[in-house]
Amino acid sequence: MELTIRYFAGARAAAGRTEETASAGRCLDELVGELVHRHGDRMAAVLAVASFLVDGVACHDRRAPLPAGVTIDVLPPFAGG
């Protein structure tokens, strides 16, 4: 039971990849902790300011369980307008 994490811009650079998978059933805060453990301080800095989409919808409840099969988009702030 997995979910997909897609990285954009600075998150992609910090992860060194465009996407990866993780176990489902945890909340976003727990997933962020795992991603920091996997990728280190640079990723921690990106995730601290990133926005997250769950299947294309902004995630406002970071404690809600993430079900299997969803896609999490990690969107760091973008420069410009």
Side-chain angles (χ1 to χ4, degrees):
M1 298 183 53
E2 293 187 330
L3 52 86
T4 301
I5 305 140
R6 297 190 305 187
Y7 299 111
F8 296 88
R12 181 176 51 230
R17 63 191 74 199
T18 58
E19 72 177 49
E20 64 184 320
T21 60
S23 298
R26 294 170 295 158
C27 69
L28 184 60
D29 283 341
E30 293 167 328
L31 177 62
V32 165
E34 179 183 330
L35 298 176
V36 169
H37 180 74
R38 285 186 192 184
H39 301 292
D41 292 339
R42 186 173 176 198
M43 179 61 85
V46 171
L47 295 177
V49 297
S51 297
F52 300 90
L53 302 180
V54 178
D55 281 346
V57 177
C59 180
H60 298 292
D61 182 359
R62 295 176 59 112
R63 302 296 301 160
L66 298 168
V70 299
T71 298
I72 308 298
D73 292 328
V74 181
L75 305 169
F78 293 93

